Amino acid sequence: MVNVLFVCLGNICRSPSAEGIFRACVEREGLSDHIVIDSAGTGNWHVGNPPDSRAQAAAKRRGIDISGLRARVAKAEDFHHFDYVLAMDDENHADLSRICPPGREDRLALFLDFAPVLGQRHVPDPYYGGAQGFEHMLDLIESGSGELLAHIRRKHL
Ligand code: 4NP
């Protein structure tokens, strides 16, 4: 079993979108029995809340339902359970490295580092912008998910 955790700041825009899109990708390839997926935030403002309505709508337009997800905070124990703890940007990465238990640093990475072909290392935070930001976020996440799954297949399955 391979365990994957996506992490952003609020766990209401980027990481739940990545959870939903990557899960759909994994299901499409018939790998649901091999890969466990979750998401979390480094901040606690939105704990217990569903994804931002704009993120839900954007995902729905691509056939993905993320309405059932609920925000939670990333914690040190996540580094024991998850093989991949994937940050959306440098700030998330820095916050995660502060709670990462010694010896588990190799589990922490930037999500888009698995998709070097994109030439972009961050999924920008769409929270304070317009609808276009959510579309761009999903484009990056869709490409990143395909590359991440290819990596996991090569390495683990
Ligand atoms: P996310 O977006 O990190 O992609 O979930 C944000 C959501 C909420 C806030 C910031 C970013 N906030 O400041 O409340």
Side-chain angles (χ1 to χ4, degrees), residues 43-62:
N44 64 5
W45 310 282
H46 301 283
V47 167
N49 291 346
D52 184 284
S53 57
R54 297 165 297 172
Q56 287 192 42
K60 200 170 176 184
R61 285 196 289 276
R62 299 189 190 203

Side-chain angles (χ1 to χ4, degrees):
M1 204 57 120
V2 182
N3 297 289
V4 179
L5 180 69
F6 296 102
V7 183
C8 62
L9 180 58
N11 193 206
I12 56 167
C13 295
R14 292 166 291 174
S15 61
S17 300
E19 178 179 349
I21 286 174
F22 187 62
R23 180 169 290 126
C25 205
V26 165
E27 281 170 5
R28 211 163 35 235
E29 298 207 18
L31 293 171
S32 302
D33 291 343
H34 301 276
I35 303 177
V36 174
I37 308 156
D38 194 6
S39 67
T42 57
N44 64 5
W45 310 282
H46 301 283
V47 167
N49 291 346
D52 184 284
S53 57
R54 297 165 297 172
Q56 287 192 42
K60 200 170 176 184
R61 285 196 289 276
R62 299 189 190 203
I64 312 257
D65 180 5
I66 58 170
S67 63
L69 303 182
R70 294 295 178 266
R72 73 167 178 89
V73 174
K75 49 192 192 298
E77 301 94 87
D78 287 324
F79 284 93
H80 294 294
H81 182 64
F82 291 94
D83 307 287
Y84 293 86
V85 178
L86 302 177
M88 294 291 151
D89 63 30
D90 274 338
E91 185 189 347
N92 310 145
H93 190 283
D95 289 339
L96 287 166
S97 64
R98 277 189 277 279
I99 63 162
C100 180
R104 298 284 168 164
E105 295 85 359
D106 59 332
R107 299 184 164 207
L108 175 59
L110 282 171
F111 171 41
L112 291 190
D113 277 351
F114 289 94
V117 64
L118 290 176
Q120 174 165 346
R121 303 186 71 207
H122 302 148
V123 180
D125 184 351
Y127 189 68
Y128 293 105
Q132 187 50 42
F134 283 84
E135 294 305 321
H136 181 54
M137 168 189 83
L138 291 183
D139 290 342
L140 290 172
I141 289 172
E142 281 182 347
S143 304
S145 291
E147 300 289 325
L148 174 64
L149 188 52
H151 169 88
I152 289 175
R153 267 186 185 283
R154 280 194 302 272
K155 187 155 180 210
H156 305 274
L157 304 176

